[in-house]
Amino acid sequence: MFIQYVYHTLILIFLKQIISCPIPFNIQSKCRCAITETGRVYIYCARKQLTVIPHFDNSNIIFDELVLSGNRISIVHKNAFNGLKLRKLELQSNPIEIIENKAFIDLANYLEEFILSTTITTSQLTSHTFLQILSELPNLKRLSLRLFNLSNPLNIYNYHNLILRKLTQLSLQSCSIKQINDIEIFSNLFPNLERLDLSENRLEYFNIPLISSLKKLKILILSKNKIRHLNIHPLLSTTTFNPSNSLIELDLSYNGIETIDENIFELISSQLEILNLRNNELLTEKHLTFLIHLNRLREFYLDYNRLESINQLNFPLNLKILSLKNNYLNQIDLSILTRLEYLEKLFLSSNKLTKLSLKYKHIFPSLEVLELDRNHLSSILSLNAPKLKQLNLDGNHLGRKIDKKIFSNLPSLEKLHLRDNHIEFIDNNAFHNTRLQILDLKNNSLKTFPLITKLNETLQILSLRRNQICTIDQHLINFYQNLHTLELDQNPLHCDCRLKRDFKQIKITGQCQSPPERRNINLNELPNEQFACSMMTTPQCSYLTKLIIDSDTDTTTIVTATATATATATTTTKTTIVTTTVMDIIEELVDNIDEQQNSFTTITTTIDNFSFEYIRIGDLTITPNIDKSKLLIQWQLLPSIIDENSNDEYRRVYLKDRDISGFKISSNFPIYKMSELLDILQRNYTLDYIQQGEICLYLLYKINYEKFCKQLQLTSTQTLKSSFIIDPNQQQQQQEQSWYMNEPTKSIFVGSMFGILFILILLTSIILMISRCSYLSFCHSRSSKYHQNNDSKSESLLVRPTPTNTIPWPMQSQQHFYPPPPHHQLRPVSYQTSISTQCTCPTHYHSSGSSSTDAGSSCTHGQNYHIYQEIINDDLNTTNISNNHRTCRPLKIDTNSPLTSSTNTTMNSEQCQLCSLSVLV
């Protein structure tokens, strides 16, 4: 009922506020009235490109806040807030240049907090404007001004009896203040001031008299000034100041302080609890002797200085927070800090620490947070901190293995960061006495999923990003009963039969990297079907191809037998038995891992006996598969003890210590190919099937390599082993005789032939296009559906019928779809034939539009005329004919005699060719 009452009350307040919202209709698109969840009513007009303060309607509601920040207001006019009742006004980030008198007079009775800043450094907001604001707003409690020009002293003669008794917080940031000389005026104006912020000004010395005059001052912020020395002025040494016992926090960060007088804080405050000296220039412990006078100091921040040692310092015993980040500390004795019984947080990040000295008997009784990240620590001694909850060791050099003794005395540890430490192994009992909930192991060299036996009930978040993990065993994940987030991104995960995918309700991230058909698929998107075991792995996971994993079968047998034996039991009994079975499996895995770790010494002794022998390729076996689609290449190394060792991790280290980088395989048929770099533990590779050529295996060192080659002589069922190797002398003779068929000669020869052939084809195509392009265009433009035979097609180039409406000319889209008459035999169209043999019009067009090819018919100039005749007529009718134009005269034709071949032969061939060329042009 109470919740409903509060809910309805808020609704009523909101409705009342909406009904009486003082925003005029013309600016409702830029301002809005609203109410927060806590019931605060406000007007929001921020970042609306307003150039003036809007005129609001009168309202009886007292608004908690008016926000006008981020606009373009340059002038605050007189009575700008007439009719409004506000408790807080935000007028920051505006280009305000002028504030008129009585601009805020209408807010005098209710305004308690005022935030004002301009974006113009050359504005007219001076000390006079500052006093004007104070006189118009006597009830202010919190005032914040920024980018005013307060370099001139305060002149209060025109403001009699001006005292702001309610003002407790004053901020004058970036106001060009060099010093405050009128200490008495300042202290009288603000007699109850508790917080003073003078940061980002131009103060050059520490004003002790000002602090002493402000009797109620608790917080003083002087950061980002130009104070270089905190010394006692000689004139003050003879004067007795009563220290301000009210000051509890002092911020002197970002000043470049070089020296601090040992006794200066005796004149400031003996009650100081928080001291911030970040980003200064303090070099030695001698500059920190003042700490002996700060017995009540609880928080001390000394980050980003130049300290190299703190072993001789006497820190105040009441310290709770000590921060020494980003200094030059190279060695520290933690024993001096164990004296701090109340120390809760210790920050030593980003130093140059290589060693931590601490005796076992020393205890941090109250320490909860310890940060040692980004140092050069190669080993960590056992810390004794019973209340430590968070430990950060990122970015150190902790080495290959995390020993179980490091965290043995941290029973309350909940959050541990170990990223960027080159960790390869984690002892199964490393965290047996902790209660870890978050474990960060990003960017290490882990190759197996960590199994930490004592975290099965507490671990909730496990991050394994950017490691070398190839597969996951489902039993290991289920071992952590409360795990809800598992990060496996950027691991070379091999998603085949070995990867269990029943992740239950765990939020898991990560993508498969192999085999190729499942590359970049998210783990939580994998289908539930059974995957086949694949040998196509990434180089980091090549060792999986030699593992025979039968844990699935063993687990299934155990669970099935358990279920059969308890078929008549209750559900609770079944659950208990299955859980016990999984725990047994985990214990067996732990025992196996322990046995492998214990066998390191024996294996090291055995293999070191062979360290004198040179590592080389022992044998190369090439086997085709059944369908002859692939070739399986296998090899061995000598001495054989290397591959006989079952511990892959030691084999990898052993080979790397002997400067072996990996393997590569090449084949020269049908073209030369070279594989990618193969892992040093990989002993097999697959190629596409070939029956001839040469396959070579390269053993790569850092500065050289060893090559082992075989000529293929495969039959349908053969496996190429050492017995099929051609005699080296004979092989060398064959290579010398057929050098032109070897690589890279063969590749260069084939590539050159294809290049020459391509250039010849390209040149031929260009020549044909140039020689035939104009012919094809001319022929295409003169084709017609009424061309009845090949003669008429040729002659139509030279003869044009008299224009008449009875000849239906075809459309361009229809020109090529009329077949020739069936009694004519098609032959290629030739311009040269018509030009060289005929210059007259043997074809006659009748008025009906039909044509005839009768040899006895005559050529009359009435119905048909030669095209040259039209050119002459056009020339006669044209004025201003250029003398450079060539005219083509018609041939004299006897109309009474029929046209025969003899007539054509008597013509002047040169005239025909000249006229024909004119037509073409």
Side-chain angles (χ1 to χ4, degrees):
M1 295 295 295
F2 177 74
I3 296 176
Q4 293 181 352
Y5 173 76
V6 172
Y7 179 75
H8 290 302
T9 303
L10 291 176
I11 292 177
L12 290 175
I13 294 174
F14 178 74
L15 291 176
K16 182 179 179 182
Q17 177 264 333
I18 291 297
I19 294 174
S20 58
C21 182
I23 300 176
F25 177 78
N26 59 341
I27 62 168
Q28 286 184 0
S29 61
K30 296 185 177 181
C31 297
R32 60 184 175 88
C33 297
I35 185 171
T36 63
E37 296 178 354
T38 58
R40 298 182 75 253
V41 183
Y42 65 94
I43 303 174
Y44 190 82
C45 303
R47 296 181 295 278
K48 299 297 181 182
Q49 307 297 320
L50 296 173
T51 56
V52 295
I53 295 176
H55 176 72
F56 296 98
D57 298 335
N58 293 331
S59 175
N60 294 324
I61 297 177
I62 301 176
F63 288 89
D64 293 292
E65 186 175 3
L66 170 61
V67 183
L68 290 168
S69 304
N71 286 289
R72 298 182 178 179
I73 301 172
S74 58
I75 301 176
V76 182
H77 295 284
K78 180 180 179 181
N79 301 112
F81 302 93
N82 185 26
L84 278 181
K85 297 177 181 180
L86 301 174
R87 289 193 175 95
K88 181 179 179 181
L89 173 61
E90 290 189 19
L91 199 58
Q92 57 193 7
S93 300
N94 281 277
I96 298 176
E97 298 184 22
I98 300 174
I99 298 178
E100 296 181 356
N101 289 330
K102 297 183 180 181
F104 306 105
I105 194 67
D106 298 304
L107 304 175
N109 294 330
Y110 299 98
L111 194 66
E112 297 178 353
E113 182 175 357
F114 184 24
I115 302 175
L116 172 63
S117 68
T118 180
T119 57
I120 300 177
T121 56
T122 59
S123 64
Q124 301 179 18
L125 306 179
T126 61
S127 301
H128 174 73
T129 310
F130 174 48
L131 293 174
Q132 173 191 329
I133 293 173
L134 296 177
S135 63
E136 294 178 4
L137 301 171
N139 292 313
L140 275 178
K141 295 181 179 180
R142 295 172 294 277
L143 175 61
S144 177
L145 303 179
R146 184 177 178 84
L147 287 176
F148 273 55
N149 184 7
L150 302 182
S151 58
N152 297 324
L154 299 176
N155 186 1
I156 62 171
Y157 296 107
N158 296 327
Y159 301 93
H160 301 289
N161 300 323
L162 178 61
I163 300 176
L164 278 82
R165 300 184 183 277
K166 295 183 179 181
L167 191 69
T168 59
Q169 298 183 19
L170 175 62
S171 176
L172 301 174
Q173 296 182 1
S174 300
C175 291
S176 304
I177 300 175
K178 295 182 179 180
Q179 57 184 354
I180 299 178
N181 294 325
D182 302 327
I183 297 176
E184 183 178 357
I185 295 175
F186 194 88
S187 59
N188 290 334
L189 272 176
F190 314 108
N192 297 316
L193 196 63
E194 298 179 358
R195 186 181 189 274
L196 176 60
D197 186 354
L198 297 176
S199 59
E200 301 181 38
N201 281 285
R202 301 176 184 177
L203 298 173
E204 296 182 356
Y205 70 93
F206 191 63
N207 197 332
I208 298 177
L210 176 64
I211 300 173
S212 300
S213 63
L214 298 173
K215 300 299 181 181
K216 295 185 178 181
L217 187 66
K218 295 181 179 180
I219 301 173
L220 176 60
I221 302 175
L222 298 174
S223 64
K224 298 182 180 179
N225 278 277
K226 297 181 179 181
I227 303 173
R228 297 292 182 266
H229 304 278
L230 260 64
N231 297 329
I232 300 176
H233 197 274
L235 298 178
L236 299 177
S237 59
T238 58
T239 306
T240 302
F241 285 97
N242 293 324
S244 174
N245 293 326
S246 61
L247 188 66
I248 60 175
E249 181 178 349
L250 176 61
D251 187 352
L252 290 166
S253 60
Y254 295 91
N255 273 283
I257 297 175
E258 299 176 1
T259 59
I260 301 177
D261 193 282
E262 178 180 347
N263 300 314
I264 191 170
F265 288 101
E266 289 184 343
L267 301 177
I268 297 175
S269 174
S270 60
Q271 306 296 321
L272 198 64
E273 298 181 359
I274 302 174
L275 177 59
N276 188 348
L277 292 174
R278 290 189 178 105
N279 292 85
N280 285 291
E281 300 294 330
L282 299 174
L283 297 176
T284 64
E285 302 172 13
K286 296 180 180 180
H287 297 151
L288 302 177
T289 54
F290 62 87
L291 289 173
I292 61 175
H293 301 289
L294 299 176
N295 295 325
R296 296 196 178 186
L297 193 65
R298 295 185 295 106
E299 301 179 15
F300 184 33
Y301 301 96
L302 202 59
D303 309 331
Y304 295 93
N305 279 272
R306 298 185 179 184
L307 295 175
E308 297 181 358
S309 175
I310 59 169
N311 292 332
Q312 304 299 324
L313 282 179
N314 292 319
F315 290 102
L317 298 180
N318 291 318
L319 268 182
K320 291 186 176 182
I321 300 176
L322 176 59
S323 183
L324 297 167
K325 298 178 183 178
N326 288 88
N327 279 276
Y328 297 152
L329 301 175
N330 51 30
Q331 188 173 355
I332 184 171
D333 185 3
L334 294 179
S335 301
I336 66 172
L337 300 178
T338 57
R339 300 183 300 104
L340 308 177
E341 298 181 0
Y342 304 102
L343 187 63
E344 297 177 356
K345 298 179 180 180
L346 176 59
F347 303 99
L348 296 170
S349 308
S350 301
N351 280 279
K352 298 181 179 180
L353 295 174
T354 58
K355 184 180 180 181
L356 297 178
S357 301
L358 179 66
K359 295 181 180 180
Y360 180 78
K361 62 180 181 179
H362 290 149
I363 300 175
F364 291 94
S366 303
L367 191 63
E368 297 181 0
V369 177
L370 175 59
E371 293 191 359
L372 292 165
D373 54 292
R374 296 185 296 279
N375 279 283
H376 304 289
L377 296 171
S378 57
S379 62
I380 299 291
L381 298 177
S382 178
L383 297 173
N384 195 347
K387 294 185 179 181
L388 188 66
K389 296 180 179 180
Q390 179 176 337
L391 177 59
N392 191 342
L393 292 168
D394 292 343
N396 283 280
H397 306 286
L398 297 183
R400 297 175 56 236
K401 185 176 180 180
I402 297 297
D403 191 80
K404 61 183 178 182
K405 297 181 181 179
I406 298 178
F407 310 103
S408 58
N409 296 316
L410 303 176
S412 301
L413 189 62
E414 297 178 353
K415 189 174 183 180
L416 177 61
H417 295 273
L418 290 171
R419 67 170 68 179
D420 299 297
N421 273 289
H422 310 290
I423 300 172
E424 298 182 12
F425 304 102
I426 297 179
D427 192 282
N428 300 321
N429 297 315
F431 311 112
H432 71 283
N433 196 29
T434 66
R435 295 188 59 82
L436 275 181
Q437 298 178 7
I438 301 174
L439 179 57
D440 187 354
L441 291 166
K442 297 185 184 76
N443 202 22
N444 281 286
S445 301
L446 294 171
K447 295 178 176 60
T448 57
F449 193 85
L451 176 63
I452 306 168
T453 54
K454 301 300 181 180
L455 298 183
N456 58 318
E457 295 181 356
T458 60
L459 192 62
Q460 299 178 8
I461 300 175
L462 177 59
S463 180
L464 296 169
R465 292 183 179 181
R466 296 188 298 277
N467 277 274
Q468 302 297 323
I469 297 174
C470 294
T471 189
I472 309 171
D473 195 315
Q474 182 63 39
H475 301 298
L476 296 179
I477 296 180
N478 292 340
F479 172 71
Y480 302 106
Q481 301 175 8
N482 295 317
L483 186 67
H484 60 74
T485 302
L486 176 60
E487 299 176 354
L488 290 168
D489 304 270
Q490 302 181 37
N491 277 278
L493 294 173
H494 183 61
C495 301
D496 68 343
C497 61
R498 304 170 183 86
L499 181 68
K500 304 301 181 182
R501 301 178 301 282
D502 185 14
F503 300 121
K504 296 183 178 179
Q505 297 180 352
I506 296 178
K507 180 183 177 182
I508 187 169
T509 60
Q511 298 82 30
C512 299
Q513 296 300 320
S514 62
E517 60 270 17
R518 283 184 284 276
R519 182 176 177 82
N520 295 330
I521 297 180
N522 295 329
L523 291 177
N524 54 4
E525 297 176 357
L526 288 172
N528 291 325
E529 63 187 20
Q530 182 65 31
F531 292 153
C533 294
S534 174
M535 297 176 63
M536 301 295 293
T537 65
T538 56
Q540 300 93 325
C541 302
S542 60
Y543 66 91
L544 291 177
T545 59
K546 300 191 67 176
L547 296 178
I548 301 175
I549 299 179
D550 56 355
S551 59
D552 294 345
T553 306
D554 295 340
T555 304
T556 305
T557 304
I558 294 172
V559 175
T560 304
T562 304
T564 304
T566 59
T568 59
T570 60
T571 305
T572 305
T573 305
K574 290 181 181 179
T575 304
T576 304
I577 293 174
V578 172
T579 304
T580 304
T581 304
V582 173
M583 291 299 296
D584 292 339
I585 295 171
I586 297 298
E587 290 178 0
E588 291 180 4
L589 292 173
V590 173
D591 294 338
N592 293 335
I593 295 174
D594 290 336
E595 291 176 1
Q596 292 179 3
Q597 293 177 352
N598 293 332
S599 64
F600 270 173
T601 305
T602 305
I603 295 169
T604 304
T605 305
T606 304
I607 294 188
D608 286 343
N609 294 330
F610 293 89
S611 60
F612 64 92
E613 188 171 354
Y614 182 72
I615 298 176
R616 62 190 185 278
I617 300 172
D619 194 11
L620 182 65
T621 305
I622 303 173
T623 308
N625 60 356
I626 299 176
D627 57 355
K628 294 184 180 180
S629 61
K630 298 288 183 180
L631 288 178
L632 176 62
I633 304 171
Q634 297 174 306
W635 60 91
Q636 296 179 357
L637 292 182
L638 291 178
S640 60
I641 186 65
I642 297 174
D643 289 338
E644 291 175 359
N645 178 22
S646 60
N647 193 307
D648 291 337
E649 301 302 330
Y650 187 84
R651 289 168 55 206
R652 184 181 298 277
V653 175
Y654 181 83
L655 294 174
K656 283 185 177 180
D657 290 342
R658 282 145 185 84
D659 296 334
I660 295 179
S661 302
F663 302 92
K664 282 194 175 184
I665 293 178
S666 68
S667 62
N668 64 351
F669 185 84
I671 60 174
Y672 186 81
K673 293 181 181 179
M674 177 71 77
S675 69
E676 71 277 5
L677 180 64
L678 307 179
D679 190 70
I680 56 177
L681 298 183
Q682 187 167 341
R683 297 294 182 268
N684 56 68
Y685 189 74
T686 56
L687 287 175
D688 293 335
Y689 181 81
I690 55 177
Q691 279 191 336
Q692 56 182 328
E694 183 182 56
I695 294 180
C696 294
L697 173 66
Y698 297 84
L699 176 60
L700 303 179
Y701 295 88
K702 287 187 178 179
I703 58 176
N704 60 355
Y705 66 91
E706 179 184 341
K707 182 178 179 182
F708 192 96
C709 298
K710 284 191 178 181
Q711 286 291 128
L712 289 180
Q713 293 180 348
L714 294 176
T715 61
S716 58
T717 60
Q718 277 183 344
T719 297
L720 186 59
K721 297 185 179 180
S722 58
S723 58
F724 294 103
I725 302 175
I726 300 176
D727 182 68
N729 297 329
Q730 181 181 358
Q731 182 178 355
Q732 184 176 2
Q733 293 176 1
Q734 292 180 358
Q735 291 179 353
E736 292 176 356
Q737 294 173 359
S738 59
W739 62 269
Y740 53 87
M741 291 302 293
N742 292 333
E743 294 293 343
T745 307
K746 183 177 177 181
S747 298
I748 296 174
F749 177 75
V750 174
S752 301
M753 292 300 295
F754 275 107
I756 294 172
L757 182 60
F758 174 75
I759 293 173
L760 290 176
I761 294 174
L762 183 62
L763 291 175
T764 304
S765 301
I766 293 173
I767 293 172
L768 289 176
M769 290 175 62
I770 294 174
S771 62
R772 302 294 288 176
C773 181
S774 59
Y775 162 72
L776 294 174
S777 301
F778 188 80
C779 180
H780 176 72
S781 63
R782 289 295 183 177
S783 61
S784 174
K785 118 178 180 177
Y786 294 101
H787 296 166
Q788 300 295 330
N789 49 45
N790 292 330
D791 294 336
S792 63
K793 290 179 182 178
S794 300
E795 294 158 359
S796 64
L797 296 172
L798 302 176
V799 179
R800 187 172 65 185
T802 304
T804 175
N805 294 331
T806 60
I807 302 176
W809 296 99
M811 298 297 291
Q812 183 178 358
S813 60
Q814 300 175 352
Q815 291 179 4
H816 305 290
F817 295 94
Y818 290 92
H823 61 275
H824 284 99
Q825 184 178 0
L826 293 177
R827 58 189 176 93
V829 179
S830 176
Y831 295 141
Q832 190 64 29
T833 303
S834 61
I835 292 174
S836 62
T837 59
Q838 300 181 42
C839 281
T840 58
C841 182
T843 306
H844 304 278
Y845 286 85
H846 300 282
S847 60
S848 62
S850 61
S851 61
S852 175
T853 57
D854 188 359
S857 60
S858 62
C859 181
T860 61
H861 295 279
Q863 295 180 354
N864 296 290
Y865 64 95
H866 201 279
I867 189 170
Y868 302 151
Q869 184 177 356
E870 182 185 16
I871 295 173
I872 294 174
N873 294 333
D874 292 339
D875 293 340
L876 294 176
N877 295 330
T878 304
T879 60
N880 298 327
I881 299 176
S882 175
N883 294 329
N884 294 331
H885 292 170
R886 180 184 298 176
T887 58
C888 183
R889 300 299 179 183
L891 298 176
K892 294 181 181 181
I893 304 172
D894 188 1
T895 57
N896 297 323
S897 62
L899 289 173
T900 62
S901 59
S902 61
T903 306
N904 290 333
T905 56
T906 59
M907 298 177 184
N908 190 344
S909 61
E910 182 178 0
Q911 293 179 355
C912 292
Q913 292 177 0
L914 289 174
C915 293
S916 300
L917 290 174
S918 300
V919 176
L920 291 177
V921 173

